[in-house]
């Protein structure tokens, strides 16, 4: 991975090195920051903002900060995967001495945060489409909204029903994130050619 990154840096420019170093720092700092309830922030940076900036820099040869409009919903959904896992694992993480964001918030606020991470991306792309920051085609990602609502409802129900209800919610969230991201990609391709 480092070799490919260095090759791309030589082809595109030194900004990619800074983005790569940011990714490396996220990797190295994730374990200690997870123990301090900051793992979610690291994941948002490492899987949302940095890849979007790096990819656009390699493709365009310059930093295009507008890609961060798309990084917000994708990054939130990636973080929702982690948050579902951390909410489910609060008891075992406590035994291991880990303090995740889910533990810091508690069960009900964690369910609310997860619901936000699942549903806000749809509000975001609708607002960005209307404002002209994203092509109107991005609304095809709304095809995944029923899955997002079902996942958020499962998390909400787990507050009363127990963590057994969310045993596979991280996997379901990952599947949603994949579908959502693929549909966003299709939307941008369609906007380019139609």
């Amino acid at each position: 991975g480092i070799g490919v990154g260095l090759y791309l840096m030589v082809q595109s420019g030194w900004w990619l090195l800074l983005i790569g170093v940011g990714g490396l720092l996220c990797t190295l700092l994730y374990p200690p920051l997870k123990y301090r309830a900051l793992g979610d922030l690291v994941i948002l940076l490492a899987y949302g903002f940095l890849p979007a900036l790096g990819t656009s820099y390699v493709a365009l040869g310059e930093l295009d900060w507008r890609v961060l409009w798309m990084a917000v919903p994708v990054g939130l959904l990636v973080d929702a995967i982690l948050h579902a896992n951390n909410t489910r694992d609060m008891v075992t993480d406590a035994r291991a001495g880990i303090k995740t964001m889910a533990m810091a918030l508690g069960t009900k606020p964690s369910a609310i945060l997860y619901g936000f991470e699942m549903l806000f991306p749809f509000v975001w792309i609708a607002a960005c489409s209307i404002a002209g920051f994203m092509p109107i085609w991005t609304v095809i990602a709304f095809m995944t909204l029923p899955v997002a609502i079902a996942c958020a409802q499962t998390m909400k129900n787990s507050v009363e029903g127990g963590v057994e209800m969310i045993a596979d919610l991280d996997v379901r969230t990952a599947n949603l994130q994949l579908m959502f991201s693929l549909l966003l990609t299709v939307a941008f391709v369609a906007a380019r050619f139609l």
Side-chain angles (χ1 to χ4, degrees), residues 19 96 124 148:
I19 294 167
W124 183 266

Side-chain angles (χ1 to χ4, degrees), residues 114 118-119 145-155 157 169 172:
Y114 177 82
M118 293 301 285
L119 301 176
L145 182 59
V147 178
I149 291 171
C151 288
Q153 189 64 45
T154 298
M155 179 66 86
N157 292 342
L169 192 57
R172 291 172 49 203

Side-chain angles (χ1 to χ4, degrees), residues 50-74:
L50 292 175
L53 286 172
T55 301
S56 71
Y57 184 69
V58 169
L60 302 173
E62 62 185 15
L63 284 177
D64 186 350
W65 298 99
R66 295 176 298 171
V67 300
L68 296 180
W69 292 110
M70 188 174 73
V72 169
V74 172

Side-chain angles (χ1 to χ4, degrees), residues 164-183:
E164 301 80 25
M165 296 182 72
I166 58 171
D168 68 340
L169 192 57
D170 53 350
V171 174
R172 291 172 49 203
T173 306
N175 288 334
L176 167 71
Q177 194 277 339
L178 175 63
M179 291 184 295
F180 181 93
S181 298
L182 285 174
L183 287 172

Side-chain angles (χ1 to χ4, degrees), residues 15 31 45 47 52 65 68 71 96 108 113 125 127 139 146 148 162 174 181 190:
W15 273 104
L45 287 171
Y47 290 96
W65 298 99
L68 296 180
K108 188 171 183 180
L113 176 60
I125 62 171
V139 297
S181 298

Side-chain angles (χ1 to χ4, degrees), residues 120-144:
F120 184 75
F122 297 94
V123 174
W124 183 266
I125 62 171
C128 286
S129 294
I130 291 167
F133 299 132
M134 290 185 184
I136 196 68
W137 289 95
T138 57
V139 297
I140 65 170
F142 273 80
M143 292 171 58
T144 63

